[in-house]
Amino acid sequence: MTGAGDTRARYRRILRFAGWQLTVAWWYELFLPRIGLSKLAARTRAKRMRRFAQRFHVLAVDLGGLMIKVGQFMSSRLDVLPPEITSELEGLQDEVPPVPFPAIRALAEAELGVPLERAFVAIDETPVAAASLGQAHRARLGPLDAADTGLDGVVIKVQRPGIDEIIDVDLAALRKVGGWLSRVRLVYDRVDMPALVEEFAATSLEEIDYMHEATSSERFAQDFAGDDRVAVPEVVWERTTRRVLTLEDVTAIKITDVEALRAAGIDPAEVAPVFAAVMFDQLFTNGFFHADPHPGNIFVTPVAPSASDVGERPWKLTFIDFGMMGEVSPNVRSGLRKLLIAAASRDGKGLVDAIRDLGVLLPSAETAELERAMIQLFARFGGMGFAELRDVDPREFREFAVQFGDVIRSLPFQLPENFLLIIRAMSLTSGVCSALDPEFNLWDSVEPYAAQLLRDERGNFVRDIGQQAVEVAGITMGLPKRLDAMLTRIEEGSLTVQNPHLEHRVARLERAARRVISALLFAALLIAGAVIHADDVVLGTVFMVASIVPLLHALFAGRARQQSN
């Protein structure tokens, strides 16, 4: 357990570090430019960023807990943080000295309610992994549990003793720092810091609830049921509590262990696009995704191909550690699909529109210059893989940054909730793929996926147009009868009216309604034909030709009636 004095010292140390760094940032980035010393601030910026990252690295290693998670997140934010910070923190691993086994034994036995020797035939006292929130040990199930589950080897994940108190202290400190930052205009114009901290808090608290992790594991397995690309360890529910999680031992080849993959006859370059596609499925289709897909959480598991399918893939991707999961709402998923389609088609304007739909850009943002920047970005760098980008003259990147950096920084960006996990997942996905294959081009995985999304969206659009056309046709067929019935009621005297010219007005209404309906039918048939034409030339042409009939009626029916009168 963590003592009260230790928790207070931990809290003060985090706040002292944050307070000092914010003071330094205020001095160099706000005060000095106001008194005409902006060049001095710019000249020392890289050195200051590197020193900050080094000091935070020391703080995170010393304290562990959520500070490790914060550092790992910063190392993945290549999009907004300078390389002086990300490169220094990229080696920060969630590895801390293991807790002595007697303490692990005591916590596990208290949770399970039985001595470990009764719950397991054997248990390895040397941990497989020791992280800031918990550590894992290999074990073998007892005969009854083995018979019930069909498993033998398992991994027991046990929470670090006292981690609840540590997380409470860390979250209290982060909430205080978030409150400080929420008073800085440069920050609150772009992000709701208190909401961001609360999102991080919710994720962290879920990560130490192993019952939640077990439930997430089974939900993830259901999403990929029948998918031969993905495997998930089974949960041994009889030996699982909030602080102890027992899972099938699925240890295999670490996904970025290129030499081991080749030794097993697996081409790493074939693994990268499959991994990217699986992550895209989670984000854009399922809406439930693994938010911590770093190399330690994904194995490549060799499997024997069946005799019935010689071309079957001889390996699977096995995901573990479902403590950090994210959900994408239908609205956000729709926006992400639009973003993916726009990126794959190099559509700068479409990309900006999708960003706005996602809520990243505030509605008041003037985006003309940003659209121009995205169009030029796609024109110059679109379609390049990571290896190709490394060969580009750095001066080109600098020129682009100088040309459009002020535009991007001046726009009112705001990071919506849940985006932390989405960005983290995509950043880690990109890093794993490039480690598997330095020549890997993310566009090669994005384009076919986006093309399928586009076909799906087109199909939905055609169905909607078709449904609307049927509804309009139904109204067209039914309207004369309804008008006739109304006229009959008028003739019979069952409808009281005071206007002597009602019949003439009803006739005019009928003619106007028919022309409006004809115009709607023309638009529906024309649009449906244009959309279908890309996949079915004959059917699309028929629709477009058929649209001429309601068009002629809409244009000339009224004139003909007027001439006849």
Side-chain angles (χ1 to χ4, degrees):
M1 299 290 290
T2 304
D6 292 338
T7 58
R8 285 195 295 270
R10 182 185 184 89
Y11 179 78
R12 287 196 295 266
R13 184 175 176 187
I14 295 171
L15 292 188
R16 279 199 305 270
F17 177 87
W20 174 250
Q21 297 304 325
L22 287 174
T23 301
V24 171
W26 173 83
W27 176 262
Y28 282 97
E29 303 299 335
L30 296 178
F31 180 74
L32 291 185
R34 286 182 180 178
I35 61 174
L37 296 177
S38 56
K39 290 185 178 179
L40 174 62
R43 191 165 57 248
T44 61
R45 184 172 294 122
K47 184 178 179 180
R48 284 185 286 109
M49 294 296 102
R50 192 175 300 109
R51 188 184 302 122
F52 160 78
Q54 291 168 348
R55 290 176 175 172
F56 185 86
H57 192 291
V58 172
L59 178 78
V61 171
D62 284 352
L63 296 181
L66 293 186
M67 294 301 102
I68 294 279
K69 299 294 181 184
V70 173
Q72 287 178 328
F73 174 73
M74 286 195 293
S75 71
S76 69
R77 292 307 305 268
L78 301 174
D79 52 338
V80 295
L81 293 178
E84 290 81 10
I85 291 178
T86 57
S87 59
E88 177 65 32
L89 296 178
E90 65 184 358
L92 184 62
Q93 299 296 318
D94 191 1
E95 296 177 358
V96 296
V99 176
F101 187 73
I104 292 294
R105 173 189 289 276
L107 190 150
E109 290 181 345
E111 286 290 310
L112 297 175
V114 295
L116 287 184
E117 287 74 14
R118 287 181 54 190
F120 304 98
V121 170
I123 184 168
D124 187 353
E125 296 187 5
T126 302
V128 179
S132 59
L133 304 184
Q135 65 187 51
H137 295 260
R138 282 197 175 93
R140 291 180 56 211
L141 289 176
L144 292 178
D145 288 338
D148 288 342
T149 62
L151 304 176
D152 180 31
V154 294
V155 170
I156 311 168
K157 189 174 176 181
V158 183
Q159 199 176 96
R160 290 180 77 91
I163 193 63
D164 286 335
E165 293 87 344
I166 290 174
I167 286 182
D168 287 344
V169 171
D170 289 357
L171 289 178
L174 290 175
R175 289 185 176 105
K176 175 67 75 173
V177 175
W180 292 345
L181 289 172
S182 66
R183 296 183 178 90
V184 180
R185 182 173 182 177
L186 186 65
V187 175
Y188 69 66
D189 275 349
R190 286 163 171 76
V191 63
D192 184 347
M193 277 305 301
L196 211 59
V197 172
E198 291 309 316
E199 182 183 349
F200 182 75
T203 303
S204 302
L205 293 174
E206 287 177 353
E207 198 168 355
I208 61 170
D209 182 354
Y210 289 165
M211 293 295 288
H212 183 273
E213 179 176 345
T215 302
S216 296
S217 172
E218 292 205 333
R219 178 179 171 184
F220 188 88
Q222 290 172 1
D223 284 346
F224 287 97
D227 192 325
D228 65 356
R229 301 172 300 172
V230 177
V232 179
E234 291 188 33
V235 178
V236 183
W237 285 100
E238 295 79 4
R239 301 303 179 197
T240 295
T241 70
R242 196 179 79 83
R243 291 184 172 87
V244 176
L245 174 60
T246 305
L247 297 164
E248 174 187 7
D249 187 357
V250 292
T251 306
I253 304 171
K254 186 177 179 180
I255 190 170
T256 52
D257 190 344
V258 174
E259 295 303 321
L261 290 173
R262 292 198 180 102
I266 301 171
D267 184 357
E270 294 180 1
V271 176
V274 175
F275 173 61
V278 168
M279 291 304 301
F280 287 151
D281 281 343
Q282 295 172 48
L283 283 163
F284 302 114
T285 303
N286 301 340
F288 183 66
F289 64 95
H290 198 302
D292 196 22
H294 65 73
N297 283 341
I298 303 121
F299 296 119
V300 178
T301 305
V303 295
S306 62
S308 60
D309 190 356
V310 179
E312 186 177 354
R313 187 183 301 105
W315 50 268
K316 290 187 175 185
L317 294 171
T318 301
F319 286 75
I320 63 170
D321 193 352
F322 298 91
M324 187 183 294
M325 303 296 292
E327 291 198 54
V328 186
S329 68
N331 288 340
V332 172
R333 201 182 320 164
S334 174
L336 289 174
R337 288 158 73 99
K338 292 178 184 177
L339 187 70
L340 184 65
I341 292 170
S345 58
R346 319 293 198 269
D347 180 2
K349 185 179 186 304
L351 189 70
V352 174
D353 289 341
I355 292 173
R356 189 194 294 274
D357 290 346
L358 284 168
V360 176
L361 274 176
L362 296 181
S364 60
E366 177 54 52
T367 59
E369 286 298 310
L370 181 60
E371 290 173 10
R372 189 166 69 90
M374 292 299 101
I375 291 170
Q376 292 197 21
L377 178 68
F378 281 132
R380 177 61 188 93
F381 306 113
M384 287 187 176
F386 293 103
E388 294 173 290
L389 287 172
R390 282 196 293 267
D391 294 334
V392 174
D393 189 337
R395 286 177 294 182
E396 291 196 46
F397 292 116
R398 283 197 294 271
E399 289 172 2
F400 184 87
V402 169
Q403 185 176 2
F404 295 107
D406 290 339
V407 172
I408 295 173
R409 282 190 292 271
S410 65
L411 287 171
F413 284 99
Q414 179 170 292
L415 194 64
E417 293 185 26
N418 256 341
F419 262 57
L420 278 177
L421 296 182
I422 295 173
I423 293 169
R424 175 182 175 82
M426 293 311 298
S427 297
L428 290 171
T429 298
S430 176
V432 169
C433 288
S434 58
L436 284 165
D437 179 12
E439 304 295 325
F440 177 77
N441 189 340
L442 193 62
W443 299 108
D444 293 339
S445 292
V446 168
E447 285 178 329
Y449 195 88
Q452 181 59 47
L453 288 179
L454 191 58
R455 286 192 293 270
D456 293 344
E457 294 295 329
R458 182 186 298 157
N460 294 335
F461 181 68
V462 171
R463 283 195 296 272
D464 292 342
I465 288 293
Q467 183 177 354
Q468 291 175 17
V470 171
E471 291 174 356
V472 169
I475 294 172
T476 304
M477 298 298 293
L479 186 60
K481 292 182 179 180
R482 296 178 66 184
L483 289 172
D484 185 63
M486 186 175 71
L487 289 172
T488 301
R489 292 179 62 191
I490 294 172
E491 291 172 353
E492 293 175 348
S494 58
L495 180 67
T496 303
V497 296
Q498 295 180 345
N499 192 332
H501 304 291
L502 180 60
E503 184 175 345
H504 177 65
R505 293 189 177 187
V506 169
R508 290 178 59 190
L509 175 63
E510 180 182 357
R511 291 196 299 272
R514 288 182 184 277
R515 293 179 65 191
V516 170
I517 292 169
S518 294
L520 288 173
L521 277 173
F522 161 70
L525 290 171
L526 182 64
I527 294 173
V531 173
I532 295 173
H533 192 272
D535 294 324
D536 191 329
V537 176
V538 175
L539 182 59
T541 303
V542 170
F543 268 72
M544 287 190 284
V545 171
S547 69
I548 296 175
V549 177
L551 174 64
L552 294 175
H553 180 269
L555 291 176
F556 301 113
R559 296 179 185 177
R561 183 62 61 88
Q562 288 174 0
Q563 291 174 358
S564 65
N565 290 339

